[in-house]
């Protein structure tokens, strides 16, 4: 699979060349979301916001990541929620918190009936003091496509840069 770099406001990330980049119209240097979508409906994205806001609520990227997982777990329609992997890496000089979870969703439930669907959820949280922003890379996929899409997510995660100087290499 071929990748190219998407760069905006001093950060960059590699994404598959045959995917569409969808940019939030309200995007600013300090806050926004960019979604990357495949023709098959797979979606991964990067959201960012002021680090001051995140640090007002969370002492670390790890705490922010745990809160995000807890909110997902309590989401409407979630029947079962399981954290499959939690770990920390170094990404572009920062500690990045990586999570992989599985959610079982109720689909078309009406009076207790309906089908169930499993979704795999991948995320990475980073706090960047240098740019004064936090970043969240996220993706979700079906159980059947977990490995293929996890490879794409990992390529995006490993390529992530939040400092303009490193993007010029």
């Amino acid at each position: 699979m071929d990748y190219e770099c998407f760069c905006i406001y001093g950060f960059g990330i590699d994404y598959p060349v045959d995917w569409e980049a969808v940019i939030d119209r309200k995007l600013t240097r300090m806050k926004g979301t960019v979604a990357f979508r495949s023709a098959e409906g797979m979606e991964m994205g990067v959201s960012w916001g002021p680090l001051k806001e995140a640090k007002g609520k969370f002492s670390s990227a790890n705490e922010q990541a745990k809160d995000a997982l807890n909110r997902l777990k309590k989401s409407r329609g979630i029947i079962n929620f399981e954290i499959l992997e939690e770990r920390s890496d170094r990404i572009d000089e920062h500690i990045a918190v990586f999570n992989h979870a599985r959610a079982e969703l109720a689909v078309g439930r009406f009076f207790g009936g309906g089908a169930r669907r499993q979704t795999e959820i991948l995320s990475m949280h980073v706090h960047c003091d240098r740019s004064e922003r936090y970043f969240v890379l996220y993706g979700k996929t079906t159980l059947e496509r977990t490995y293929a899409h996890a490879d794409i997510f990992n390529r995006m995660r490993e390529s992530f840069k939040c400092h303009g100087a490193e993007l010029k290499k």
Side-chain angles (χ1 to χ4, degrees), residues 95-134:
I95 294 172
V97 179
F98 169 77
N99 288 296
H100 177 191
R102 180 175 296 143
E104 189 174 351
L105 308 166
V107 180
R109 278 185 82 101
F110 190 70
F111 296 117
R116 295 179 177 199
R117 183 181 71 221
Q118 286 190 335
T119 299
E120 301 282 312
I121 301 159
L122 303 163
S123 66
M124 176 187 78
H125 289 72
V126 174
H127 284 188
C128 177
D129 289 314
R130 199 160 155 191
S131 70
E132 299 178 348
R133 295 179 285 189
Y134 70 84

Side-chain angles (χ1 to χ4, degrees), residues 111-161:
F111 296 117
R116 295 179 177 199
R117 183 181 71 221
Q118 286 190 335
T119 299
E120 301 282 312
I121 301 159
L122 303 163
S123 66
M124 176 187 78
H125 289 72
V126 174
H127 284 188
C128 177
D129 289 314
R130 199 160 155 191
S131 70
E132 299 178 348
R133 295 179 285 189
Y134 70 84
F135 296 90
V136 179
L137 172 63
Y138 59 89
K140 65 180 181 173
T141 187
T142 60
L143 186 60
E144 300 78 34
R145 294 185 167 180
T146 297
Y147 292 106
H149 289 134
D151 288 344
I152 295 168
F153 182 88
N154 286 328
R155 169 69 184 262
M156 294 175 81
R157 180 179 60 81
E158 291 165 0
S159 71
F160 181 80
K161 302 283 183 208

Side-chain angles (χ1 to χ4, degrees), residues 26-46:
K26 297 178 184 176
L27 185 91
T28 68
R29 174 173 283 283
M30 291 308 291
K31 190 170 188 157
T33 299
V34 176
F36 302 97
R37 294 185 184 139
S38 72
E40 303 87 40
M42 174 61 192
E43 183 174 313
M44 295 192 194
V46 179

Side-chain angles (χ1 to χ4, degrees), residues 2 22 41 47 50 56 59 66 81 123 125 151 169:
D2 292 325
V22 181
S47 292
S59 63
K66 285 184 186 296
F81 189 85
S123 66
H125 289 72
D151 288 344
K169 289 182 181 175

Side-chain angles (χ1 to χ4, degrees), residues 3-85:
Y3 290 81
E4 63 187 358
C5 186
F6 176 88
C7 299
I8 192 167
Y9 294 136
F11 76 88
I13 191 166
D14 291 351
Y15 73 101
V17 295
D18 58 345
W19 286 29
E20 177 185 20
V22 181
I23 301 170
D24 176 7
R25 287 185 280 160
K26 297 178 184 176
L27 185 91
T28 68
R29 174 173 283 283
M30 291 308 291
K31 190 170 188 157
T33 299
V34 176
F36 302 97
R37 294 185 184 139
S38 72
E40 303 87 40
M42 174 61 192
E43 183 174 313
M44 295 192 194
V46 179
S47 292
W48 64 96
L51 184 57
K52 189 175 182 179
E53 282 181 18
K55 285 191 170 184
K57 297 176 186 174
F58 312 108
S59 63
S60 65
N62 187 45
E63 192 177 304
Q64 184 179 12
K66 285 184 186 296
D67 179 73
L69 289 173
N70 284 332
R71 282 185 285 120
L72 275 171
K73 190 177 188 175
K74 296 174 184 174
S75 295
R76 185 176 172 193
I78 302 283
I79 299 167
N80 289 318
F81 189 85
E82 178 184 8
I83 297 170
L84 303 173
E85 182 180 7

